[in-house]
Amino acid sequence: MESASSWEYNSLINELTQGREQAMQLRAHLNSTPLTESQDLLQSILSSYEKSLSILKWSEPLVQPQPPALPISTVLESSLSVDGSSLSDDLSKSIQAHNECYSNASKKRKAMPTWTEQVRINPHTGLEGPGEDGYSWRKYGQKDILGAKYPRSYYRCTYRHTHNCWANKQVQRSDDDPSVFELTYKGTHTCNLASRSATLPPPSSEIQEMKHDYHHHSNNESLQPGQMIMHLRTNLRVETNDLETTEERSPFSAPPTFSSMTGETNECSLTVLPANDHRFPGTYTPSFISPGSSESNYFSTSSNQMYDFKKIHDLKHSELEQNGMFSTNASSTNSPITNGMFSTNASSTNSPITGLEFFMDPVDLDSNFPFDTTGFFS
DNA sequence: TGCATTTGACCATC
DNA sequence: GATGGTCAAATGCA
């Protein structure tokens, strides 16, 4: 069904695509002369185009049913981690793969959606870990797994009884790389933002232990934000399995790249491995971290709550202001790209992912779109 | 004292 | 019977 809005949508896609192509040409020219600042700026332009295209493509009216929402971090990651010449192709393939995966998964539904993430603890800062998705988890069991070097921990949402939230997750430390944790999420949170604890609980015991070890053996090194971003970009890996349709979830959080699909089991695996792609200087991080001071003033892009971004996206500015989610303060100085930057707050009590930044290019945000970065640079 | 974690036991599935 | 997942009493901590 072709409509005026559809035509406008396509025009917008075309315009953005054209702008991106031109920016990429400019980058090719700039590559011959190492002008770091210009390239950073150019990268931010490209990122903006990619994000816009991603969002537009995901928010396009899809053939029913829509795919389940998947981590927006992976959407953003995908748009940045591919080489500059095939961004659209990769995104299209990802969307197609995701849709196929979803289609397969729908044939064999299980009781709860299940997906897996792999996260790595930063050896120097301990900034990344499985307990840092913004939700409040309560450990209810630990089990030695056959063939696994480390025990598996079982967590459930703290608000299981109070808010009837049946989200679970399992944390399994990797045998091959002890700094890597595999997180298996089962079920989606129904406790939502409003039910989350204002002061988030401490990270998983495994993470605290790891952080202790790392800090003990390291020389109190700390990575600069850019380094942390690159580290995260290099190590972030997200897999999804047996994703279920959840109407409340948004296409904004769909995974961009399905590296593998196992048709027989209807398991869909997503791998986002930026690997050694250093062409993009890390203008994203996958997680928004709670400032820890309010339940409603943060959102995270972690797997279980990617749809939060959509919720925020759907909010009118007035609503955002009323909720105190954002206020204007663009005077951040700790980044080469200062305009329109999200920066995570380092005070989240249960997250070692601190000090990370989420850059937003000016074009992404309405000039009236308020953000409060006041507490982000403490 | 209340809450979170630990850990052995129990249950379900293959 | 083996294994994974969950329960619940015991324990620890602030």
Side-chain angles (χ1 to χ4, degrees):
Chain A
M1 181 176 67
E2 194 71 21
S3 64
S5 62
S6 175
W7 182 85
E8 291 172 356
Y9 168 84
N10 289 329
S11 297
L12 182 55
I13 288 284
N14 289 336
E15 288 298 324
L16 287 171
T17 302
Q18 184 177 352
R20 184 191 62 186
E21 296 300 326
Q22 291 171 348
M24 288 167 59
Q25 290 177 16
L26 178 58
R27 181 178 63 181
H29 286 295
L30 287 175
N31 281 340
S32 59
T33 58
L35 303 173
T36 305
E37 290 186 7
S38 298
Q39 289 178 343
D40 285 345
L41 179 60
L42 180 59
Q43 187 53 55
S44 71
I45 296 172
L46 279 171
S47 298
S48 175
Y49 276 118
E50 292 308 324
K51 282 183 290 183
S52 300
L53 286 167
S54 298
I55 291 170
L56 277 171
K57 288 177 179 179
W58 277 108
S59 56
E60 178 185 22
L62 299 173
V63 177
Q64 296 296 330
Q66 291 201 3
L70 296 168
I72 193 169
S73 60
T74 58
V75 174
L76 301 175
E77 191 69 32
S78 169
S79 67
L80 292 171
S81 61
V82 295
D83 67 80
S85 61
S86 59
L87 285 163
S88 296
D89 291 343
D90 284 355
L91 184 60
S92 298
K93 289 173 183 175
S94 299
I95 294 170
Q96 182 181 3
H98 174 231
N99 289 337
E100 290 173 359
C101 178
Y102 166 72
S103 177
N104 288 335
S106 66
K107 297 174 184 174
K108 185 181 178 182
R109 301 180 68 88
K110 291 182 178 179
M112 289 194 296
T114 301
W115 65 98
T116 302
E117 291 183 20
Q118 287 187 342
V119 299
R120 181 190 296 274
I121 287 288
N122 188 307
H124 300 288
T125 65
L127 291 180
E128 297 143 32
E132 345 308 339
D133 52 21
Y135 282 100
S136 181
W137 299 99
R138 180 172 187 158
K139 188 174 184 176
Y140 66 87
Q142 180 171 305
K143 190 82 174 181
D144 287 325
I145 301 301
L146 190 70
K149 200 180 298 182
Y150 303 98
R152 177 178 299 168
S153 298
Y154 300 88
Y155 297 85
R156 66 166 62 106
C157 180
T158 301
Y159 308 107
R160 180 172 197 159
H161 300 297
T162 57
H163 291 79
N164 199 31
C165 180
W166 292 85
N168 280 13
K169 83 170 177 181
Q170 300 172 4
V171 177
Q172 177 71 59
R173 196 167 175 173
S174 172
D175 290 343
D176 298 332
D177 187 350
S179 66
V180 172
F181 287 80
E182 182 171 291
L183 312 182
T184 301
Y185 292 90
K186 295 184 177 180
T188 56
H189 281 273
T190 57
C191 56
N192 215 326
L193 283 171
S195 64
R196 281 181 221 162
S197 171
T199 54
L200 297 168
S204 312
S205 56
E206 294 90 342
I207 308 307
Q208 291 181 315
E209 183 179 340
M210 279 225 47
K211 288 166 65 179
H212 177 269
D213 290 344
Y214 278 129
H215 286 140
H216 180 73
H217 294 296
S218 69
N219 196 18
N220 288 330
E221 294 181 65
S222 62
L223 296 181
Q224 296 301 312
Q227 292 176 288
M228 289 188 287
I229 291 166
M230 280 309 304
H231 181 82
L232 190 64
R233 287 177 50 76
T234 303
N235 294 294
L236 176 66
R237 178 179 176 182
V238 179
E239 294 182 355
T240 61
N241 298 291
D242 282 301
L243 285 164
E244 299 285 334
T245 303
T246 50
E247 285 74 10
E248 77 272 288
R249 306 183 96 190
S250 133
F252 277 86
S253 52
T257 302
F258 284 87
S259 61
S260 64
M261 296 174 60
T262 54
E264 285 191 5
T265 60
N266 284 330
E267 288 186 354
C268 303
S269 293
L270 160 70
T271 301
V272 180
L273 289 173
N276 296 320
D277 187 351
H278 291 267
R279 284 165 292 188
F280 295 91
T283 54
Y284 290 92
T285 60
S287 295
F288 293 93
I289 305 304
S290 165
S293 59
S294 169
E295 293 176 355
S296 62
N297 67 350
Y298 80 95
F299 52 95
S300 166
T301 57
S302 61
S303 305
N304 251 10
Q305 57 201 82
M306 294 309 154
Y307 58 88
D308 293 341
F309 186 83
K310 175 60 161 55
K311 290 178 180 175
I312 292 171
H313 178 270
D314 290 339
L315 287 174
K316 306 295 183 186
H317 287 169
S318 58
E319 292 175 303
L320 293 173
E321 290 170 353
Q322 286 173 3
N323 291 335
M325 296 187 75
F326 305 107
S327 65
T328 309
N329 185 345
S331 60
S332 59
T333 57
N334 65 343
S335 165
I337 304 174
T338 59
N339 288 334
M341 184 186 75
F342 287 87
S343 177
T344 61
N345 190 296
S347 64
S348 175
T349 56
N350 79 332
S351 175
I353 309 177
T354 56
L356 300 183
E357 296 165 352
F358 182 82
F359 296 92
M360 293 293 286
D361 305 309
V363 297
D364 292 312
L365 301 173
D366 188 287
S367 58
N368 296 322
F369 195 69
F371 283 93
D372 184 0
T373 59
T374 305
F376 290 166
F377 305 106
S378 57

